[in-house]
Amino acid sequence: QPGNRGDTEDRGLYLLAKFRLNDHNLFHLGLRHDRNSVFGPATTLRGGWVSRVGAWTGKLLYGEAFQEPSQRTLYGGFVGATSNPEIKPERSRTWELSLGHSAGRVDHLLSLYRVDNRDTVTYVSNLGERQVMGADYHLQAGPFPSPLGQVRAWAYASRYLKAEGGPAGDSGLTATGRIGDLADNKLWAGCSLEARNGLQSTLRGRWVGRRAVV
C-alpha cells in the first residue's frame, strides 16, 4: 500500500591510503563518509600498522563504525510490540593489538581488543554506552601427511575480559552492569582431511560457557 511505504537513500564514499615505510612496516589509513536520507551524514575512520620481523607479525588496528537500527525497530510497531522512529544509529570504536608467529607447519595468533559502543540500540531505544574487552588465541597446524592424505588441525579460544553497559544519560533508563547473552569463554577446535582422491572431510566442535541471558 502506498501509504505504508517509505524510500531510503544511502550514499557512501571510501578512501584508502597505504604507506610502506620499509620491507617490515606498513601503515594504512581509511576514511568513509556516508549520507543517509533518514539519519544524515556519518564519517568513520580506520587505520593500522603492520610490522613483520622474521617469523613474527604484529598489528595495531583502529576502526570506527555505525549500525543503523532495523526497519522493524523504527517502523514495525503493532499490537503486542512497539517501534520508535526516533532511534539513532549505534556507534562503535574498536582497538586491536595482535601478535602472530609462523614457523614450519604451526601458526599462532594472539589478539587483544576493546570495543566501545554508544547509543546502543536495545529493543526500541538507544541505551547508553557499552564496553567489551577480550582476548582471542588461534592455533593452526598442518598440513601433515598421512596414509589417507593431508591433515590440518586448528583451535580457537576466546575470552571476554570485560563486558559492561552504562546508563543512558538523561533518558531515564538506568541499565548498568554485565552485558547479558555473552559467554565469558568460548572454544572451537577441529581437523580436516584432504584425501588423495580429492574428497575432503572435516570434524569440528564448539563449546560455549555459561551465559546470563536477557
Side-chain angles (χ1 to χ4, degrees), residues 7-15 31-44 66 68:
D7 294 324
T8 302
E9 186 177 72
D10 223 343
R11 297 184 180 185
L13 176 66
Y14 183 64
L15 303 175
L31 182 69
R32 183 182 179 97
H33 182 76
D34 290 88
R35 184 173 294 274
N36 184 279
S37 59
V38 175
F39 303 106
T43 302
T44 52
F66 70 97
E68 301 169 356

Side-chain angles (χ1 to χ4, degrees), residues 50-93:
V50 180
S51 180
R52 294 181 179 178
V53 180
W56 296 90
T57 301
K59 295 182 180 181
L60 179 61
L61 306 175
Y62 171 78
E64 299 174 351
F66 70 97
Q67 175 66 51
E68 301 169 356
S70 67
Q71 303 301 304
R72 157 67 185 86
T73 303
L74 290 169
Y75 313 116
F78 56 92
V79 176
T82 185
S83 59
N84 183 0
E86 302 300 323
I87 294 179
K88 299 179 294 183
E90 180 176 323
R91 300 280 185 155
S92 178
R93 291 179 179 177

